């Protein structure tokens, strides 16, 4: 098992924060994970489970052990009439896995192209984009409990999926690790969703008919044009969740702000666009020192270079404060704050 002492985590988090881990364990197989559990300086001093580091803000140097998910592998588990079940190890790169499924002619994940991170983390916040969520094709997953090393199989229903939520982010948070994930994908009669975002327009502009590949390519092109590339500008994608409010509160807000985008939910509540709320408070493109909200996407907190975690957290808290003051709406962070207070 490969381990480092006082390792910089800069290459392992998309905010590009140069914090250190007292000990960094690169877990390149499930056997490494077993060794990590048994090592007296391993899980006994566990501080953080690290995937691709694209959904966390590391607020400071980490004392203790960081376990980095790095085991890979993928296989076909079952083939049937019109479907295939594929399994990928937690350490597989999500985007490369999605492109592989598209290249095989398997449908379900194409709209989730170019999302950073690893396969094992996709279920944690039920990763979603362009009208599709991980839960739509997740078949089952294997999960290991830290406490006793027991491995359990979870069905889709067991995962407690919701908007950017799952049981792994809720009741089972920090209790274990997802080892591998199975997806049930279509081999014919694919659902080709093009009506979210500007996918249909992108296809029309490229003169292409909807297909698994053309949709994946369109999503990639749109994301590249709208979202900052973490390799160039540190960020963690959408920093806040889209908030949900009562229908009554949404109506009050709409009376005062007629252009307020509203998305009624099945439970009668109304989802609002966090990016729109942030933009109204003047934060779109606003910068304080080296931290700020992105000029093209108000929802994306950005490290313009050399920002400290404190600077980033201070901006996030100020945005929460300003949106609360202007609209009476609480913005919840989507990104995991590691080692800092969770709200203003
Ligand atoms: C430019 C950009 C765009 C993005 N766009 C989207 C988007 O469109 N939609 C979307 O939903 N998200 C998006 N994200 C957020 C992010 O890519 C996803 O949340 C992704 O799934 C995080 O994966 P990761 O491996 O990097 O997780 P990490 O940041 O490493 O970990 C996130 C959390 O999961 C835990 N964890 C990690 N691995 C495991 C495991 N194997 N088992 C259990 N827990 C684990 C960690 O301890 C941590 O609490 C975007 C991020 C960026 C930077």
């Amino acid at each position: 098992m490969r381990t480092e002492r006082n390792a910089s985590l800069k290459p392992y988090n998309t905010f590009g924060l140069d914090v250190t881990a007292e000990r960094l364990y690169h877990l390149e197989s499930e056997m490494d994970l077993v060794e990590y559990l048994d090592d007296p300086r391993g899980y006994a001093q566990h501080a953080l489970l690290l995937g691709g580091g694209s959904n966390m803000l590391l607020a400071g140097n980490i004392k203790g052990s960081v376990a980095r998910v790095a085991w890979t592998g993928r296989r076909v588990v079952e083939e049937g009439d019109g479907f295939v079940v594929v399994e990928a190890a937690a350490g597989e790169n999500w985007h490369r896995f999605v492109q592989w499924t598209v290249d095989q002619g398997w449908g379900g994940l194409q709209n989730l192209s170019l999302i950073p991170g690893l396969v094992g983390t996709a279920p944690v916040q039920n990763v979603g984009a362009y009208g599709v969520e991980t839960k739509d094709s997740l078949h089952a997953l294997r999960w290991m409990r830290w406490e006793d090393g027991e491995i359990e199989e979870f069905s889709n229903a067991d995962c407690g999926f919701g908007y950017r939520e799952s049981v792994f982010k809720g009741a089972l948070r920090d209790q274990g690790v997802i080892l591998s994930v199975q997806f049930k994908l279509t081999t014919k009669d694919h659902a080709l969703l093009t009506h979210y975002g500007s996918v249909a327009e992108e296809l029309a502009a490229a003169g292409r008919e909807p297909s698994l590949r053309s949709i994946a390519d369109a999503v990639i092109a749109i994301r590249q044009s709208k979202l900052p590339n973490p390799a160039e500008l540190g960020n963690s994608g959408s920093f806040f969740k889209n908030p949900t409010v009562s229908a009554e509160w949404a109506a009050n807000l709409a009376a005062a702000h007629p252009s307020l985008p509203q998305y009624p939910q099945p439970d009668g509540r109304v989802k609002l666009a966090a990016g729109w709320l942030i933009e109204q408070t003047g934060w779109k493109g606003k910068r304080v020192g080296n931290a700020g909200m992105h000029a093209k996407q108000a929802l994306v907190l950005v490290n313009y270079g050399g920002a400290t975690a404190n600077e980033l957290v201070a901006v996030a808290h100020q945005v929460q404060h300003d949106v609360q003051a202007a609209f009476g709406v609480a913005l919840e962070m989507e990104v995991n704050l590691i080692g800092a207070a969770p709200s203003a």
Side-chain angles (χ1 to χ4, degrees):
M1 177 168 52
R2 200 157 61 86
T3 60
E4 291 178 73
R5 279 187 67 83
N6 297 322
S8 169
L9 295 181
K10 193 171 180 190
Y12 303 114
N13 75 98
T14 58
F15 267 119
L17 291 168
D18 195 8
V19 303
T20 57
E22 193 177 0
R23 277 180 304 280
L24 175 60
Y25 288 74
H26 301 275
L27 306 180
E28 285 158 353
S29 66
E30 289 191 13
M31 274 314 293
D32 281 355
L33 185 60
V34 174
E35 260 189 68
Y36 179 72
L37 270 184
D38 292 342
D39 185 331
R41 282 167 309 171
Y43 182 69
Q45 295 178 38
H46 179 74
L48 175 68
L49 178 64
L50 175 67
S54 67
N55 200 27
M56 54 174 63
L57 198 164
L58 300 169
N61 292 339
I62 296 176
K63 223 180 130 33
S65 305
V66 172
R68 181 176 153 252
V69 175
W71 58 93
T72 56
R74 53 197 182 201
R75 69 186 179 110
V76 172
V77 176
E78 187 186 347
E79 284 178 273
D81 184 20
F83 75 89
V84 62
V85 177
V86 282
E87 182 173 58
E92 284 281 322
N93 173 282
W94 174 259
H95 175 66
R96 283 202 288 275
F97 171 66
V98 170
Q99 297 317 293
W100 175 70
T101 64
V102 169
D103 290 340
Q104 303 302 311
W106 299 333
L109 301 177
Q110 60 278 2
N111 292 42
L112 301 177
S113 295
L114 210 64
I115 296 180
L118 305 182
V119 167
T121 332
V124 172
Q125 74 154 2
N126 183 24
V127 158
Y130 297 96
V132 172
E133 292 181 317
T134 306
K135 73 168 172 54
D136 300 334
S137 49
L138 185 139
H139 181 61
L141 60 79
R142 288 164 60 246
W143 179 84
M144 190 201 77
R145 188 187 305 279
W146 286 122
E147 198 181 17
D148 51 14
E150 284 298 309
I151 296 176
E152 288 177 30
E153 176 139 340
F154 283 65
S155 69
N156 184 307
D158 296 335
C159 295
F161 287 125
Y163 165 62
R164 299 294 185 270
E165 282 300 342
S166 77
V167 71
F168 311 105
K169 215 177 166 179
L172 295 181
R173 189 185 194 104
D174 298 331
Q175 304 291 304
V177 46
I178 295 169
L179 302 175
S180 60
V181 188
Q182 291 186 3
F183 296 92
K184 188 170 183 180
L185 305 174
T186 50
T187 52
K188 60 183 180 187
D189 304 328
H190 309 297
L192 298 173
L193 294 189
T194 62
H195 57 288
Y196 283 84
S198 43
V199 176
E201 291 89 317
E202 185 68 31
L203 288 175
R208 298 176 77 181
E209 291 299 316
S211 70
L212 300 179
R213 175 42 64 200
S214 68
I215 290 175
D217 288 348
V219 167
I220 292 168
I222 297 166
R223 294 181 71 98
Q224 283 174 334
S225 73
K226 281 186 22 187
L227 286 170
N229 178 352
E232 291 158 11
L233 212 52
N235 76 90
S236 220
S238 301
F239 197 82
F240 301 102
K241 290 183 184 179
N242 288 318
T244 308
V245 299
S246 67
E248 194 188 355
W249 193 244
N252 282 342
L253 289 175
H257 309 277
S259 61
L260 174 86
Q262 301 190 49
Y263 306 95
Q265 300 298 295
D267 63 0
R269 290 170 65 79
V270 177
K271 192 182 273 186
L272 306 177
W276 187 92
L277 299 171
I278 296 169
E279 192 173 342
Q280 301 307 304
T281 59
W283 272 100
K284 189 174 183 181
K286 187 166 157 184
R287 196 173 153 164
V288 181
N290 294 320
M293 304 311 288
H294 193 243
K296 286 191 195 162
Q297 264 291 351
L299 199 44
V300 178
L301 177 65
V302 173
N303 175 359
Y304 282 99
T308 62
N310 281 348
E311 284 180 289
L312 289 161
V313 172
V315 166
H317 285 171
Q318 194 58 49
V319 169
Q320 285 178 314
H321 172 271
D322 291 355
V323 168
Q324 178 74 47
F327 300 103
V329 174
L331 284 186
E332 190 189 334
M333 292 185 188
E334 179 179 315
V335 169
N336 298 281
L337 267 193
I338 309 293
S343 61

